[in-house]
């Protein structure tokens, strides 16, 4: 096996542009495969398991809380520590076997991908370091007014002249909007991938950058955040280590070969090397052993990566916390620092070096529980079974007093793309946006209620001098109360601002009302009428916030209000799935509406602003809409095409990409047949923009067939290779602006063939 791995690793590394590292990386892969200091730790209770995940995060490899155990890489000292807390240990044979299989598979796929690979082998959703930087630079090129690419320092290898990288920061703000005189814009700083093997971290932060930049001018919240705040993203805080981890190595530290030289545990744990609390716990919170995964380095801030982060953080914010451990930062301190890690599904805040709460502990907990409401993680102070020291919050909170948090994403270092797409992004992108919204006063604003569901009764388009009716909800309940509790209050008021928020001169509040006439509940429906009198034609930002009974104002949510000199055109929005369509009228005449009348193209009619309709058969239909009000009449029309959703039979020949069987139904089930050993069936369809393509292949009980998805160039996008009788499934998102051709391949691996024993079903939908 070692000879096979060596050949694969050397070939793969050479082909992917890592020739400078290939001589030792194959040996490092062998070292990792030979490592058997990997244990299942059966925990006494979940609270101790969560605390072990904090204290032994460097050693944690897998978390199976529902099954009662975690997997750690443990030296004898750590084994003794866990046993002292009642953990039962056994060698994790199944994890070791799966790890070795993954390493072999990744080297094989790296070889197939070649030198232009843009994603990590086996993980198409995770960009390489080079591709991350390429994507970030493309965002800067596309949005130069909103984005800047900054050099914050060098990696260790760059300093040594042995390759390496610049530590880059993607700065996001609208440079055309200045801060008020004598002030600076509030700043959110996020660093990710400081521990190299934590795959999901940098891609999440890059996706957040895309969300903000692509949303500016389209999404009102993204627009005001970039206009009035700054977001600084250090996507790769440990790029040298990340390149090692891209080979499948479980690499945590930087690559400083002066410490534990020429091993896969060389280097310094950057998140134990920060100056302010370096080695402050007398050896409990970090290790002085160079080969330890939590080696703190020879001195405080010894590593160039740590020095770069500390210098950048100090350039962002002034020091607002006193020199003593009990000195609190003032309540109006601005700024947030987020350090994005994986894994363990935690939201953590200082202190980690002591059980004592931080002097701003109550406010830190409030914001932490807000974050955890979005991602569903456990919110807690970052103290585990025993302390940690020298961590990244040492400079931001410990030195400067800036609110600092660690997110521990997901359930694995090598998180699957399915979990990243379906769980990590949907849960954490809203949490990051919340951080960007409250960064002006993070010790105050999270104590107030949140405004959700902000919308307009008639599409947010008004004539000059006309009025628009606003609807929203305000709630004080969006805290994760799983660890500790946050007090909640009744909503006591709400207000809106047009164009000018209250931190700028000339802001004028517009009082909103409780829809039921009384502010007396912790969740209230809001309503209000806003006049466009004096507003020029065009798009205007409307900011809305709510106040609770304690007097705390929450963060702003925003929507666009458009003042149109001419009546807005009446439009028909349509969404159809199979024969079922939903239609919605948007735009049109403002003012008191009398009616919407629909003719649906099949002889039937309906009324209402939003309707649903089921067509009897497939076809193309002309839908016509008439809007009548006191201001006049408008009409609109559009065609819709509906198709049957049904079952098709696999049709030969379809044994290559070029002869793939076209599928037009959505969703569709294919009844397929493996004619002979080695058979493969290909199918093709269009993947619509913004849609998630889901594919499920179920073989017969005695057979093992595998599932793959490719793009139009034959590049593999996803795969599933489960065993005999087991279903294979994949899902992927088309994040582009246009539809894309996809190819689905079902490949015979073993088992039955022919009409009696070779059947399978393939379900595809988006």
């Amino acid at each position: 096996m070692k000879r096979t791995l060596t050949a694969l690793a050397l070939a793969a590394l050479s082909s992917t542009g890592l020739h400078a590292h290939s001589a030792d990386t194959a040996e490092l892969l062998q070292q990792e495969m030979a490592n058997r200091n990997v244990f299942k730790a059966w925990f006494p209770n979940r609270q101790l398991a969560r605390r072990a995940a904090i204290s032994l995060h460097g050693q944690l490899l897998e978390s199976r809380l529902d099954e009662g155990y975690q997997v750690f890489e443990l030296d004898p000292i750590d084994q003794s520590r866990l046993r002292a807390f009642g953990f039962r240990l056994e060698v994790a044979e199944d994890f070791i076997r799966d790890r070795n299989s993954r390493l072999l598979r990744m080297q094989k796929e790296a070889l197939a991908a070649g030198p232009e690979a843009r994603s990590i082998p086996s993980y198409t959703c995770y960009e390489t370091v080079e591709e991350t930087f390429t994507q970030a630079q493309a965002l800067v090129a596309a949005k130069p007014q909103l984005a800047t690419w900054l050099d914050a320092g060098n990696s260790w290898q760059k300093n040594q002249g042995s390759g390496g990288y610049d530590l880059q920061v993607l700065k996001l703000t609208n440079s055309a909007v200045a801060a008020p005189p004598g002030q600076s814009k509030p700043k959110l700083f996020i660093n990710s991938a400081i521990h190299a093997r934590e795959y999901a971290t940098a891609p999440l932060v890059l996706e957040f950058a895309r969300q903000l930049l692509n949303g500016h001018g389209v999404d009102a919240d993204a627009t005001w955040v970039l206009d009035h705040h700054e977001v600084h993203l250090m996507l790769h805080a440990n790029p040298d280590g990340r390149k090692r981890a891209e080979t499948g190595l479980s690499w945590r530290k930087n690559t400083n070969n002066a410490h534990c030289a020429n091993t896969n545990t060389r280097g310094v744990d950057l998140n134990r090397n920060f100056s302010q609390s370096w080695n402050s716990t007398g050896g409990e919170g970090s290790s002085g052993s160079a080969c330890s995964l939590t080696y703190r380095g020879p001195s405080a801030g010894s590593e160039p990566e740590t020095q770069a982060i500390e210098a950048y953080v100090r350039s962002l914010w002034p020091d607002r916390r006193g020199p003593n451990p009990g000195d609190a930062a003032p309540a109006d301190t601005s700024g947030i620092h987020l350090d994005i890690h994986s894994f363990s599904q935690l939201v953590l805040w200082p202190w980690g070096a002591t059980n004592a709460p931080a002097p701003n502990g109550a406010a830190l907990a409030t914001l932490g529980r807000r974050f955890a409401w979005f991602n569903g993680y456990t919110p807690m102070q970052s103290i585990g079974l025993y302390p940690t020291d020298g961590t990244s919050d040492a400079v931001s909170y410990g030195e400067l007093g800036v609110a600092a948090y660690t997110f521990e994403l997901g359930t694995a270092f090598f998180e699957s793309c399915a979990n990243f797409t379906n769980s990590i992004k949907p849960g954490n992108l809203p949490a990051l946006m919340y951080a960007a919204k409250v960064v002006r006063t993070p010790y105050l604003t999270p104590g107030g209620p949140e405004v959700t569901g902000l919308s307009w009764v008639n599409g947010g388009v008004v004539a000059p001098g006309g009025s628009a009716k606003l609807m929203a909800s305000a709630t004080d309940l969006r805290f994760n109360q799983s660890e500790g509790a946050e007090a909640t209050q009744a909503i006591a008021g709400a207000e809106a601002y047009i164009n000018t928020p209250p931190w700028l001169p000339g802001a004028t509040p517009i009082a909103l009302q409780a829809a039921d006439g009384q502010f007396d509940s912790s969740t209230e429906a809001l309503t209000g009428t806003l006049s466009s009198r004096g507003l020029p034609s065009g798009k205007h930002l409307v900011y809305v916030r709510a106040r609770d009974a304690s007097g705390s104002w929450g963060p702003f949510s925003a929507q666009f209000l458009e003042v149109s000199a001419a009546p807005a055109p009446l439009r028909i929005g349509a969404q159809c799935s199979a024969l079922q369509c939903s239609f919605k009228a948007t735009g049109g005449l403002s003012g008191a509406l009398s009616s919407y009348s629909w003719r649906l193209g099949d002889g039937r009619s309906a009324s209402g602003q939003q309707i649903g309709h089921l067509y009897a058969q497939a076809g193309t239909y002309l839908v016509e809409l008439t809007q009548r009000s006191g201001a006049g009449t408008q009409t609109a029309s559009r065609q819709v095409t509906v198709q049957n959703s049904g079952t098709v039979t696999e049709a030969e020949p379809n044994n290559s990409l070029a002869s793939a069987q076209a599928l037009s139904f959505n969703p569709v089930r294919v009844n397929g047949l493996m004619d002979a050993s080695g058979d493969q069936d290909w199918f093709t369809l269009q993947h619509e923009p913004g849609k998630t393509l889901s594919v499920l292949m179920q073989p017969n009980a005695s057979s093992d067939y595998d599932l793959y998805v490719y793009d139009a160039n034959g590049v593999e996008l996803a795969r599933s290779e489960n065993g005999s009788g087991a279903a294979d499934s994949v899902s992927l998102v088309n994040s582009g602006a246009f539809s894309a051709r996809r190819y689905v391949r079902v490949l015979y691996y073993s088992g039955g063939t022919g009409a009696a024993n070779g059947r399978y079903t393939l379900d595809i939908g988006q």
Side-chain angles (χ1 to χ4, degrees), residues 271-441:
N271 206 35
R272 298 294 185 273
N273 187 241
F274 286 87
S275 300
Q276 199 262 358
S277 65
W278 185 82
N279 195 23
S280 62
T281 62
E284 281 193 280
S286 58
S287 175
S289 171
C291 292
S292 169
L293 290 170
T294 56
Y295 174 53
R296 58 181 169 263
S299 60
S302 61
E303 303 310 293
E305 297 91 347
T306 310
Q307 294 163 14
I309 296 172
E310 289 188 340
Y312 197 83
V313 165
R314 292 185 185 115
S315 76
L316 295 179
W317 301 298
D319 184 353
R320 299 203 69 196
R321 204 178 80 78
N324 301 311
D327 292 339
D332 64 351
T333 298
S334 178
I336 296 174
H337 174 199
L338 301 180
D339 188 357
I340 307 299
H341 286 255
S342 69
F343 64 100
S344 288
Q345 297 182 315
L346 297 169
V347 174
L348 305 172
W349 57 85
W351 301 116
T354 173
N355 282 303
N360 296 93
L364 287 166
T366 297
L367 177 51
R369 291 175 182 134
R370 289 287 192 194
F371 289 148
W373 186 90
F374 292 101
N375 57 26
Y377 296 171
T378 299
M380 60 190 294
Q381 185 179 333
S382 56
I383 183 76
L385 299 175
Y386 40 86
T388 54
D389 56 27
T391 53
S392 64
D393 56 14
V395 61
S396 49
Y397 180 73
E399 182 181 324
L400 305 178
V402 170
Y405 295 85
T406 296
F407 284 18
E408 294 283 0
L409 307 177
T411 59
F413 291 133
F414 303 99
E415 193 79 54
S416 74
C417 286
N419 285 349
F420 178 70
T421 300
N422 299 326
S423 178
I424 289 178
K425 286 202 296 187
N428 287 282
L429 288 173
L432 299 184
M433 178 59 84
Y434 187 86
K437 291 169 74 170
V438 304
V439 69
R440 183 175 296 273
T441 49

